[in-house]
Amino acid sequence: MNEAQAAAPPKSTAEEPWPVRVVSQKVGAWIAKLGWVWVDGQVAQISRRAGSGVVFLTLRDPAADLSLTVTMHRDVLEAGAPELAEGARVTLHAKPEFYPARGTLSLRADEIRQVGLGELLARLERLKKLLGAEGLFARERKRRLPFLPTRIGLITGQNTAAERDVLMNVRRRWPAAEFRVAHVSVQGPNSVPQILGALKVLDDDETVDVIVIARGGGSVEDLLPFSDEALCRAVFAARTPVVSAIGHETDTPLLDYVADLRASTPTDAAKRIVPDLGDELRLIEQARGRLDRGVLALIDRERQRIEAWRSRPVLARPETLIEQRSGEVIALRDRAGRSLEHRVRRADDELRHTLARLRALSPLATLERGYAIVQREDGHVVRAADEVESGDPLRVRLFEGSLTAVVTPGTNE
């Protein structure tokens, strides 16, 4: 412990704060506790100063906008990666060091290894199995592209063949197509952070219905950004459907497996995201032709059906049915008249017979033969002489008319 450390107070307070040098020393001590570590990254910059035995590297994280300065002896670089170039993937053994004078952090490396193609492919294969096991490649999780997107988001390099292929072919197929283009670096240590930023901007845009990530062909190392784990997870979590159009048919970065649609080339992507206006017009004409033919065929069938109906007797000569029914009505009317006349005659005969019987049984018939009915004043019929007394008025009813009489003495004996 030096004099400054010994003089430093055990605890920092508002009344007794630590000097900057003490804070710097303590930060350096904490960083030194990490010790030697193996670090994986991508070389963003190499600085070889003439006449100096020290080489400076800028090591960038492949999936984040973070970087650290690495110092190493020239002999270490020549022994581990003599052909090292910017953009290469490396693994190095280093110790973090904090420089109190400048307040900066760097790594001091004593060994460096350039990651070869075989190691890169092995890492990609392990990452592929991991993402596949988590369901990022599942077919049922992929979203369908809209038939005709309102606006197309395009993530690609500026003034690249991939950009021209997508824009030209989309507008050739659908001239009214709208684009929102985000230019990014599609190769090198800066590509992944830029692509992630562009993807977030386009995914947050409500007017963008589909996002295309496009780049031309290249080596496995050139296409490494499109197999980055952070990019794959961001595409999987995106709200907007994503189309991967990376390289050629044989190029298959991990982005192809995560994207909702994989296009073999940028030109193929243009064909997959919008319909062809000419083809659609032809399809519309064909549909209209089928519709016209269908309507005409339906009209023709209905015309034939109407003609068949008109040819039937009931419609060809409708009066025939009326005539038939008229004859039936006349026959029924005549039969009803005869039946009614027969019933009337029979009722008349029955009435005559009943009247004759009634007359035969009526008291008037008896009166007609000369008999009379004698009634007292109260209407009581006198049947015996002792039913009246002398002086009683009587009414004698004859066949025609009636007489008034008075009982005299000696007449009721």
Side-chain angles (χ1 to χ4, degrees):
M1 181 179 298
N2 55 34
E3 295 180 359
Q5 291 174 327
K11 186 177 182 180
S12 173
T13 64
E15 290 74 19
E16 297 181 355
W18 288 348
V20 173
R21 65 180 182 278
V22 175
V23 176
S24 179
Q25 290 167 358
K26 288 187 175 292
V27 170
W30 277 105
I31 292 175
K33 291 180 181 180
L34 182 62
W36 292 88
V37 293
W38 285 97
V39 184
D40 174 57
Q42 191 172 19
V43 178
Q45 185 178 4
I46 304 176
S47 177
R48 297 181 176 90
R49 297 179 181 178
S52 174
V54 179
V55 178
F56 296 89
L57 303 180
T58 300
L59 192 67
R60 184 180 294 275
D61 188 284
D65 191 13
L66 297 173
S67 62
L68 285 174
T69 300
V70 181
T71 62
M72 69 179 66
H73 199 274
R74 186 182 295 270
D75 295 339
V76 174
L77 180 62
E78 293 297 332
E83 303 296 329
L84 186 66
E86 294 180 357
R89 193 76 171 264
V90 296
T91 302
L92 51 86
H93 188 245
K95 181 180 181 180
E97 293 182 343
F98 182 74
Y99 294 91
R102 298 191 301 271
T104 59
L105 175 68
S106 66
L107 299 175
R108 178 168 57 87
D110 64 354
E111 184 178 350
I112 184 171
R113 299 176 184 176
Q114 184 169 353
V115 179
L117 179 60
E119 176 64 20
L120 287 176
L121 294 177
R123 291 184 182 183
L124 292 179
E125 188 62 28
R126 290 193 295 270
L127 180 58
K128 180 180 178 181
K129 291 181 180 179
L130 173 64
L131 298 180
E134 294 182 12
L136 270 69
F137 303 160
R139 185 178 299 274
E140 61 272 12
R141 301 290 296 273
K142 298 186 182 301
R143 294 151 296 189
R144 294 186 61 181
L145 270 60
F147 172 73
L148 187 60
T150 303
R151 177 175 290 182
I152 303 167
L154 176 60
I155 301 175
T156 187
Q158 188 171 8
N159 298 324
T160 59
E163 179 183 13
R164 291 192 298 272
D165 287 346
V166 174
L167 296 179
M168 180 180 64
N169 285 284
V170 166
R171 286 170 176 157
R172 180 183 299 167
R173 293 172 62 83
W174 197 267
E178 295 184 9
F179 280 91
R180 181 175 180 181
V181 182
H183 292 122
V184 298
S185 174
V186 293
Q187 182 176 335
N190 298 322
S191 56
V192 173
Q194 292 183 16
I195 295 173
L196 288 174
L199 178 63
K200 185 178 186 310
V201 170
L202 295 181
D203 191 42
D204 292 340
D205 189 345
E206 297 290 339
T207 64
V208 174
D209 293 330
V210 63
I211 299 173
V212 181
I213 303 177
R215 183 218 143 98
S219 63
V220 175
E221 294 86 348
D222 294 338
L223 300 181
L224 277 178
F226 302 98
S227 294
D228 183 81
E229 181 178 0
L231 177 59
C232 291
R233 294 187 183 278
V235 169
F236 180 77
R239 173 191 59 85
T240 310
V242 177
V243 177
S244 174
I246 308 301
H248 304 298
E249 179 69 34
T250 56
D251 298 323
T252 54
L254 297 185
L255 179 62
D256 285 354
Y257 298 98
V258 183
D260 298 290
L261 177 67
R262 187 250 178 181
S264 58
T265 61
T267 301
D268 181 53
K271 297 178 180 179
R272 306 286 290 275
I273 58 179
V274 294
D276 184 87
L277 179 60
D279 292 342
E280 296 303 317
L281 291 176
R282 284 191 292 272
L283 290 174
I284 291 174
E285 289 299 323
Q286 293 173 5
R288 290 181 61 183
R290 290 195 299 270
L291 183 61
D292 291 343
R293 290 192 296 272
V295 171
L296 292 176
L298 178 61
I299 293 174
D300 186 60
R301 287 196 301 271
E302 295 303 319
R303 182 186 296 112
Q304 293 176 0
R305 183 178 301 177
I306 292 173
E307 291 296 333
W309 288 344
R310 291 180 60 186
S311 64
R312 294 178 182 178
V314 68
L315 293 179
R317 290 190 71 254
E319 64 273 13
T320 301
L321 180 61
I322 296 175
E323 292 173 355
Q324 294 175 353
R325 295 294 181 263
S326 175
E328 294 175 1
V329 170
I330 293 173
L332 290 173
R333 187 187 62 188
D334 293 344
R335 189 170 64 184
R338 290 192 299 271
S339 176
L340 180 60
E341 183 179 0
H342 174 71
R343 286 177 176 272
V344 170
R345 285 199 302 268
R346 189 172 62 183
D348 182 65
D349 292 342
E350 292 177 354
L351 182 60
R352 290 176 182 275
H353 294 158
T354 301
L355 182 61
R357 290 195 299 273
L358 181 61
R359 286 177 177 175
L361 298 175
S362 175
L364 292 177
T366 303
L367 295 177
E368 188 178 6
R369 292 198 298 270
Y371 292 93
I373 298 175
V374 179
Q375 294 176 305
R376 291 189 307 191
E377 191 177 19
D378 58 1
H380 182 72
V381 177
V382 180
R383 293 182 175 84
D386 58 359
E387 292 182 356
V388 296
E389 295 179 358
S390 177
D392 288 342
L394 297 176
R395 179 175 177 266
V396 182
R397 184 177 180 184
L398 304 175
F399 176 72
E400 293 183 0
S402 60
L403 298 175
T404 301
V406 178
V407 179
T408 62
T411 58
N412 57 348
E413 294 179 359

Coordinates of all heavy atoms in Angstrom, one line a residue, residues 307-371:
E307 N -89.1 -20.8 -71.9 CA -89.7 -21.3 -73.1 C -90.4 -22.6 -72.9 O -91.5 -22.8 -73.5 CB -88.6 -21.4 -74.2 CG -88.0 -20.1 -74.7 CD -89.1 -19.2 -75.4 OE1 -90.0 -19.8 -76.0 OE2 -88.9 -18.0 -75.4
A308 N -89.8 -23.4 -72.1 CA -90.5 -24.7 -71.8 C -91.8 -24.5 -71.0 O -92.8 -25.2 -71.3 CB -89.5 -25.6 -71.0
W309 N -91.8 -23.6 -70.1 CA -93.0 -23.3 -69.4 C -94.1 -22.7 -70.4 O -95.2 -23.0 -70.3 CB -92.7 -22.3 -68.3 CG -92.0 -22.8 -67.1 CD1 -91.8 -24.1 -66.8 CD2 -91.3 -22.1 -66.1 NE1 -91.1 -24.3 -65.7 CE2 -90.8 -23.0 -65.2 CE3 -91.2 -20.7 -65.9 CZ2 -90.0 -22.7 -64.1 CZ3 -90.4 -20.3 -64.8 CH2 -89.9 -21.3 -63.9
R310 N -93.6 -21.8 -71.3 CA -94.6 -21.2 -72.2 C -95.2 -22.2 -73.2 O -96.3 -22.0 -73.7 CB -93.9 -20.1 -73.0 CG -93.5 -18.9 -72.1 CD -92.9 -17.8 -73.0 NE -93.7 -17.4 -74.1 CZ -93.4 -16.5 -75.0 NH1 -92.1 -16.1 -75.1 NH2 -94.2 -16.2 -76.0
S311 N -94.4 -23.3 -73.5 CA -94.9 -24.3 -74.4 C -95.9 -25.2 -73.8 O -96.6 -26.0 -74.5 CB -93.7 -25.1 -75.0 OG -93.1 -25.8 -73.9
R312 N -96.1 -25.2 -72.5 CA -97.1 -26.1 -71.8 C -98.5 -25.6 -72.1 O -98.7 -24.4 -72.3 CB -96.8 -26.1 -70.3 CG -95.5 -26.8 -69.9 CD -95.3 -26.7 -68.5 NE -94.0 -27.3 -68.1 CZ -93.5 -27.4 -66.9 NH1 -94.2 -26.9 -65.9 NH2 -92.3 -28.0 -66.6
P313 N -99.4 -26.5 -72.2 CA -100.8 -26.1 -72.6 C -101.4 -25.0 -71.7 O -102.1 -24.1 -72.1 CB -101.6 -27.4 -72.5 CG -100.6 -28.5 -72.7 CD -99.3 -27.9 -72.1
V314 N -101.1 -25.1 -70.4 CA -101.7 -24.2 -69.5 C -101.3 -22.7 -69.7 O -102.0 -21.8 -69.4 CB -101.3 -24.5 -68.0 CG1 -99.8 -24.3 -67.8 CG2 -102.1 -23.8 -67.0
L315 N -100.1 -22.5 -70.3 CA -99.6 -21.2 -70.7 C -99.8 -20.9 -72.2 O -100.1 -19.8 -72.6 CB -98.2 -21.0 -70.3 CG -97.8 -21.0 -68.8 CD1 -96.4 -20.8 -68.6 CD2 -98.6 -19.8 -68.2
A316 N -99.7 -22.0 -73.0 CA -99.9 -21.8 -74.5 C -101.4 -21.4 -74.8 O -101.7 -20.5 -75.6 CB -99.5 -23.0 -75.2
R317 N -102.3 -22.1 -74.2 CA -103.8 -21.8 -74.3 C -104.4 -21.8 -73.0 O -105.1 -22.8 -72.6 CB -104.5 -22.9 -75.3 CG -104.1 -22.8 -76.7 CD -105.0 -23.6 -77.6 NE -106.3 -23.1 -77.7 CZ -107.4 -23.6 -77.1 NH1 -107.3 -24.6 -76.4 NH2 -108.6 -23.0 -77.3
P318 N -104.3 -20.8 -72.2 CA -104.8 -20.8 -70.9 C -106.3 -20.9 -70.8 O -106.9 -21.3 -69.9 CB -104.3 -19.4 -70.3 CG -104.0 -18.6 -71.5 CD -103.5 -19.5 -72.5
E319 N -107.0 -20.5 -72.0 CA -108.5 -20.6 -72.0 C -109.0 -22.0 -72.0 O -110.1 -22.3 -71.6 CB -109.0 -19.8 -73.2 CG -108.6 -20.5 -74.6 CD -107.3 -19.9 -75.1 OE1 -106.6 -19.3 -74.3 OE2 -107.0 -20.2 -76.3
T320 N -108.1 -23.0 -72.4 CA -108.5 -24.4 -72.4 C -108.8 -24.8 -71.0 O -109.9 -25.5 -70.7 CB -107.3 -25.2 -72.9 OG1 -107.0 -24.8 -74.2 CG2 -107.7 -26.7 -72.9
L321 N -108.0 -24.4 -70.0 CA -108.3 -24.8 -68.6 C -109.6 -24.1 -68.2 O -110.4 -24.7 -67.5 CB -107.2 -24.3 -67.7 CG -107.3 -24.7 -66.2 CD1 -107.4 -26.2 -66.0 CD2 -106.1 -24.1 -65.5
I322 N -109.8 -22.8 -68.6 CA -111.1 -22.1 -68.2 C -112.3 -22.8 -68.8 O -113.3 -23.0 -68.2 CB -111.0 -20.7 -68.7 CG1 -109.8 -20.0 -67.9 CG2 -112.3 -20.0 -68.4 CD1 -109.6 -18.5 -68.4
E323 N -112.1 -23.2 -70.1 CA -113.2 -23.9 -70.7 C -113.6 -25.2 -70.0 O -114.7 -25.6 -69.8 CB -112.9 -24.2 -72.2 CG -112.8 -22.9 -73.0 CD -112.3 -23.2 -74.4 OE1 -111.9 -24.4 -74.7 OE2 -112.3 -22.2 -75.2
Q324 N -112.5 -26.0 -69.7 CA -112.7 -27.2 -69.0 C -113.4 -27.0 -67.6 O -114.4 -27.6 -67.3 CB -111.4 -28.0 -68.7 CG -110.7 -28.5 -70.0 CD -109.4 -29.1 -69.7 OE1 -108.9 -29.0 -68.6 NE2 -108.8 -29.6 -70.7
R325 N -112.9 -26.0 -66.9 CA -113.6 -25.7 -65.6 C -115.0 -25.1 -65.8 O -115.9 -25.4 -65.0 CB -112.7 -24.7 -64.9 CG -111.3 -25.3 -64.5 CD -111.5 -26.4 -63.5 NE -110.2 -27.0 -63.1 CZ -109.6 -28.0 -63.6 NH1 -110.3 -28.7 -64.6 NH2 -108.5 -28.5 -63.2
S326 N -115.2 -24.4 -66.9 CA -116.5 -23.8 -67.2 C -117.5 -25.0 -67.4 O -118.6 -24.9 -66.9 CB -116.5 -22.9 -68.4 OG -117.8 -22.4 -68.7
G327 N -117.1 -26.0 -68.2 CA -118.0 -27.1 -68.4 C -118.3 -27.8 -67.2 O -119.5 -28.3 -66.9
E328 N -117.3 -28.0 -66.3 CA -117.5 -28.7 -65.0 C -118.5 -27.9 -64.2 O -119.4 -28.4 -63.5 CB -116.2 -28.9 -64.3 CG -115.2 -29.8 -65.0 CD -113.9 -29.9 -64.3 OE1 -113.7 -29.3 -63.3 OE2 -113.0 -30.7 -64.8
V329 N -118.3 -26.5 -64.2 CA -119.2 -25.7 -63.4 C -120.6 -25.8 -63.9 O -121.6 -25.9 -63.1 CB -118.7 -24.2 -63.4 CG1 -119.7 -23.3 -62.8 CG2 -117.4 -24.1 -62.7
I330 N -120.8 -25.8 -65.2 CA -122.2 -25.9 -65.8 C -122.8 -27.2 -65.4 O -124.0 -27.3 -65.0 CB -122.1 -25.7 -67.3 CG1 -121.7 -24.2 -67.6 CG2 -123.5 -26.0 -67.9 CD1 -121.5 -24.0 -69.1
A331 N -122.0 -28.3 -65.5 CA -122.5 -29.6 -65.2 C -122.9 -29.7 -63.7 O -124.0 -30.2 -63.3 CB -121.5 -30.7 -65.5
L332 N -122.0 -29.1 -62.8 CA -122.4 -29.1 -61.4 C -123.6 -28.2 -61.1 O -124.4 -28.6 -60.3 CB -121.2 -28.6 -60.6 CG -119.9 -29.5 -60.6 CD1 -118.8 -28.8 -59.9 CD2 -120.2 -30.8 -59.8
R333 N -123.7 -27.1 -61.8 CA -124.9 -26.3 -61.6 C -126.2 -27.0 -62.1 O -127.2 -26.9 -61.4 CB -124.7 -25.0 -62.4 CG -125.8 -23.9 -62.1 CD -125.6 -22.8 -63.1 NE -125.8 -23.2 -64.5 CZ -125.5 -22.4 -65.5 NH1 -125.1 -21.1 -65.3 NH2 -125.7 -22.8 -66.7
D334 N -126.1 -27.7 -63.2 CA -127.3 -28.4 -63.7 C -127.7 -29.5 -62.7 O -128.9 -29.7 -62.4 CB -127.1 -29.0 -65.1 CG -126.9 -27.9 -66.1 OD1 -127.3 -26.7 -65.8 OD2 -126.4 -28.2 -67.2
R335 N -126.6 -30.2 -62.3 CA -126.9 -31.3 -61.3 C -127.5 -30.7 -60.0 O -128.4 -31.3 -59.4 CB -125.6 -32.1 -61.1 CG -125.9 -33.4 -60.3 CD -124.7 -34.2 -60.2 NE -123.6 -33.6 -59.6 CZ -122.3 -34.1 -59.5 NH1 -122.1 -35.2 -60.1 NH2 -121.4 -33.4 -58.8
A336 N -127.0 -29.6 -59.6 CA -127.5 -29.0 -58.4 C -128.9 -28.5 -58.6 O -129.8 -28.7 -57.7 CB -126.6 -27.8 -58.0
G337 N -129.2 -28.0 -59.8 CA -130.6 -27.6 -60.0 C -131.6 -28.7 -60.0 O -132.7 -28.7 -59.5
R338 N -131.2 -29.8 -60.7 CA -132.0 -31.0 -60.7 C -132.2 -31.6 -59.3 O -133.3 -32.0 -58.9 CB -131.4 -32.1 -61.6 CG -131.5 -31.7 -63.1 CD -131.1 -32.9 -64.0 NE -129.8 -33.4 -63.8 CZ -128.7 -33.0 -64.4 NH1 -128.8 -32.0 -65.3 NH2 -127.5 -33.5 -64.1
S339 N -131.1 -31.6 -58.6 CA -131.2 -32.1 -57.2 C -132.2 -31.2 -56.4 O -133.0 -31.8 -55.6 CB -129.9 -32.2 -56.6 OG -129.9 -32.6 -55.3
L340 N -132.0 -29.9 -56.5 CA -132.8 -29.0 -55.7 C -134.3 -29.1 -56.2 O -135.2 -29.2 -55.3 CB -132.4 -27.6 -55.9 CG -133.1 -26.5 -55.2 CD1 -133.1 -26.8 -53.7 CD2 -132.6 -25.1 -55.5
E341 N -134.6 -29.3 -57.5 CA -135.9 -29.4 -58.0 C -136.6 -30.7 -57.5 O -137.7 -30.7 -57.0 CB -136.0 -29.4 -59.5 CG -137.3 -29.5 -60.1 CD -137.3 -29.4 -61.6 OE1 -136.2 -29.3 -62.2 OE2 -138.4 -29.5 -62.2
H342 N -135.8 -31.8 -57.4 CA -136.3 -33.1 -56.9 C -136.6 -33.0 -55.5 O -137.7 -33.5 -55.0 CB -135.2 -34.1 -57.2 CG -135.6 -35.5 -56.6 ND1 -136.6 -36.3 -57.1 CD2 -135.1 -36.1 -55.5 CE1 -136.7 -37.4 -56.4 NE2 -135.7 -37.3 -55.4
R343 N -135.7 -32.3 -54.7 CA -136.0 -32.2 -53.3 C -137.2 -31.3 -53.1 O -138.0 -31.6 -52.2 CB -134.7 -31.5 -52.6 CG -133.6 -32.5 -52.5 CD -132.4 -31.8 -51.8 NE -131.3 -32.6 -51.6 CZ -131.1 -33.4 -50.5 NH1 -132.0 -33.2 -49.5 NH2 -130.1 -34.1 -50.4
V344 N -137.4 -30.3 -53.9 CA -138.6 -29.4 -53.7 C -139.9 -30.2 -54.0 O -140.9 -30.1 -53.3 CB -138.5 -28.2 -54.6 CG1 -139.8 -27.4 -54.6 CG2 -137.4 -27.3 -54.1
R345 N -139.9 -31.0 -55.1 CA -141.1 -31.8 -55.4 C -141.4 -32.8 -54.3 O -142.5 -33.0 -53.9 CB -140.9 -32.5 -56.8 CG -141.0 -31.5 -58.0 CD -141.2 -32.4 -59.2 NE -140.2 -33.3 -59.5 CZ -139.1 -33.1 -60.2 NH1 -138.9 -31.9 -60.8 NH2 -138.2 -34.0 -60.3
R346 N -140.3 -33.4 -53.8 CA -140.5 -34.4 -52.8 C -141.0 -33.8 -51.5 O -141.9 -34.3 -50.8 CB -139.2 -35.2 -52.5 CG -139.4 -36.4 -51.6 CD -138.2 -37.2 -51.5 NE -137.1 -36.4 -51.0 CZ -135.8 -36.9 -50.8 NH1 -135.5 -38.1 -51.3 NH2 -134.9 -36.1 -50.3
A347 N -140.5 -32.6 -51.2 CA -141.0 -31.9 -50.0 C -142.5 -31.4 -50.2 O -143.3 -31.4 -49.3 CB -140.1 -30.7 -49.8
D348 N -142.8 -31.1 -51.5 CA -144.2 -30.6 -51.7 C -145.2 -31.8 -51.6 O -146.2 -31.6 -51.0 CB -144.3 -30.1 -53.1 CG -145.7 -29.6 -53.5 OD1 -146.1 -28.6 -52.8 OD2 -146.3 -30.1 -54.4
D349 N -144.7 -33.0 -52.0 CA -145.6 -34.1 -51.9 C -145.7 -34.5 -50.4 O -146.8 -34.8 -49.9 CB -145.0 -35.3 -52.6 CG -145.0 -35.1 -54.1 OD1 -145.8 -34.3 -54.6 OD2 -144.2 -35.8 -54.8
E350 N -144.6 -34.4 -49.7 CA -144.7 -34.7 -48.3 C -145.6 -33.7 -47.6 O -146.4 -34.1 -46.7 CB -143.3 -34.7 -47.6 CG -142.4 -35.9 -48.1 CD -141.0 -35.8 -47.6 OE1 -140.7 -34.8 -46.9 OE2 -140.2 -36.7 -47.8
L351 N -145.5 -32.5 -48.0 CA -146.3 -31.4 -47.3 C -147.8 -31.7 -47.6 O -148.7 -31.5 -46.8 CB -145.9 -30.1 -47.8 CG -146.7 -28.9 -47.3 CD1 -146.5 -28.8 -45.7 CD2 -146.2 -27.6 -47.9
R352 N -148.1 -32.1 -48.9 CA -149.5 -32.4 -49.3 C -150.1 -33.5 -48.4 O -151.2 -33.5 -47.9 CB -149.6 -32.7 -50.7 CG -149.4 -31.5 -51.6 CD -149.4 -31.9 -53.1 NE -149.2 -30.7 -54.0 CZ -150.1 -29.9 -54.4 NH1 -151.4 -30.0 -54.0 NH2 -149.8 -28.9 -55.2
H353 N -149.3 -34.6 -48.3 CA -149.7 -35.7 -47.5 C -149.9 -35.4 -46.1 O -150.9 -35.8 -45.4 CB -148.7 -36.9 -47.7 CG -148.6 -37.4 -49.1 ND1 -147.5 -38.1 -49.5 CD2 -149.5 -37.4 -50.1 CE1 -147.7 -38.5 -50.8 NE2 -148.9 -38.1 -51.1
T354 N -149.0 -34.6 -45.6 CA -149.1 -34.2 -44.2 C -150.3 -33.3 -44.0 O -151.1 -33.4 -43.0 CB -147.8 -33.4 -43.7 OG1 -146.7 -34.2 -43.9 CG2 -147.9 -32.9 -42.3
L355 N -150.6 -32.4 -44.9 CA -151.8 -31.5 -44.9 C -153.1 -32.3 -44.9 O -154.0 -32.1 -44.2 CB -151.7 -30.5 -46.0 CG -152.9 -29.5 -46.0 CD1 -152.9 -28.6 -44.7 CD2 -152.7 -28.5 -47.2
A356 N -153.1 -33.4 -45.8 CA -154.3 -34.2 -45.9 C -154.5 -34.9 -44.6 O -155.7 -35.0 -44.1 CB -154.1 -35.2 -47.0
R357 N -153.4 -35.5 -44.0 CA -153.6 -36.1 -42.7 C -154.0 -35.2 -41.6 O -154.8 -35.5 -40.8 CB -152.2 -36.8 -42.3 CG -151.9 -38.0 -43.2 CD -150.8 -38.8 -42.5 NE -149.6 -38.1 -42.3 CZ -148.6 -37.9 -43.2 NH1 -148.7 -38.6 -44.3 NH2 -147.5 -37.2 -42.9
L358 N -153.5 -34.0 -41.7 CA -153.8 -33.0 -40.7 C -155.3 -32.6 -40.9 O -156.0 -32.5 -39.9 CB -153.0 -31.7 -40.9 CG -153.2 -30.6 -39.9 CD1 -153.0 -31.1 -38.5 CD2 -152.3 -29.4 -40.2
R359 N -155.8 -32.5 -42.1 CA -157.2 -32.1 -42.3 C -158.1 -33.3 -41.9 O -159.2 -33.0 -41.3 CB -157.4 -31.8 -43.8 CG -156.8 -30.4 -44.2 CD -157.0 -30.2 -45.7 NE -156.6 -28.9 -46.0 CZ -156.5 -28.4 -47.3 NH1 -156.9 -29.2 -48.3 NH2 -156.1 -27.2 -47.5
A360 N -157.6 -34.5 -42.1 CA -158.4 -35.6 -41.7 C -158.6 -35.7 -40.2 O -159.6 -36.1 -39.7 CB -157.8 -36.9 -42.2
L361 N -157.6 -35.3 -39.5 CA -157.6 -35.3 -38.1 C -158.1 -34.0 -37.5 O -158.4 -34.0 -36.3 CB -156.2 -35.7 -37.5 CG -155.6 -37.0 -38.0 CD1 -154.2 -37.1 -37.4 CD2 -156.5 -38.2 -37.4
S362 N -158.3 -33.0 -38.2 CA -158.7 -31.7 -37.7 C -160.1 -31.7 -37.3 O -161.0 -32.3 -38.0 CB -158.4 -30.6 -38.7 OG -158.9 -29.4 -38.3
P363 N -160.6 -31.0 -36.2 CA -162.0 -30.8 -35.9 C -162.8 -30.1 -36.9 O -164.0 -30.3 -37.0 CB -161.9 -30.0 -34.6 CG -160.5 -30.2 -34.1 CD -159.7 -30.4 -35.2
L364 N -162.1 -29.4 -37.8 CA -162.9 -28.7 -38.9 C -163.5 -29.7 -39.8 O -164.5 -29.5 -40.4 CB -161.9 -27.8 -39.6 CG -161.4 -26.5 -38.9 CD1 -160.4 -25.7 -39.7 CD2 -162.6 -25.7 -38.5
A365 N -162.8 -30.8 -40.0 CA -163.4 -31.9 -40.9 C -164.7 -32.4 -40.3 O -165.7 -32.7 -41.0 CB -162.4 -33.0 -41.1
T366 N -164.7 -32.5 -38.9 CA -165.9 -33.0 -38.3 C -167.0 -31.9 -38.4 O -168.2 -32.3 -38.6 CB -165.6 -33.3 -36.8 OG1 -164.6 -34.3 -36.7 CG2 -166.9 -33.8 -36.1
L367 N -166.6 -30.7 -38.2 CA -167.6 -29.6 -38.3 C -168.2 -29.5 -39.7 O -169.3 -29.2 -39.9 CB -167.0 -28.3 -37.9 CG -166.5 -28.1 -36.5 CD1 -165.8 -26.8 -36.3 CD2 -167.7 -28.3 -35.5
E368 N -167.3 -29.9 -40.7 CA -167.8 -29.8 -42.1 C -168.9 -30.8 -42.3 O -169.7 -30.6 -43.2 CB -166.6 -30.0 -43.0 CG -166.9 -29.8 -44.5 CD -165.7 -30.0 -45.4 OE1 -164.6 -30.4 -44.9 OE2 -165.8 -29.7 -46.6
R369 N -168.9 -31.9 -41.6 CA -169.9 -32.9 -41.8 C -171.2 -32.6 -41.0 O -172.1 -33.3 -40.9 CB -169.4 -34.3 -41.3 CG -168.2 -34.8 -42.1 CD -168.0 -36.3 -41.9 NE -167.7 -36.5 -40.5 CZ -166.4 -36.6 -40.0 NH1 -165.4 -36.3 -40.9 NH2 -166.2 -36.8 -38.8
G370 N -171.3 -31.4 -40.4 CA -172.5 -30.9 -39.7 C -172.5 -30.9 -38.2 O -173.4 -30.5 -37.6
Y371 N -171.4 -31.2 -37.7 CA -171.3 -31.2 -36.2 C -170.9 -29.8 -35.8 O -170.5 -28.9 -36.6 CB -170.2 -32.1 -35.8 CG -170.6 -33.6 -36.0 CD1 -170.2 -34.3 -37.1 CD2 -171.4 -34.3 -35.0 CE1 -170.6 -35.6 -37.3 CE2 -171.7 -35.6 -35.2 CZ -171.3 -36.2 -36.3 OH -171.7 -37.5 -36.5

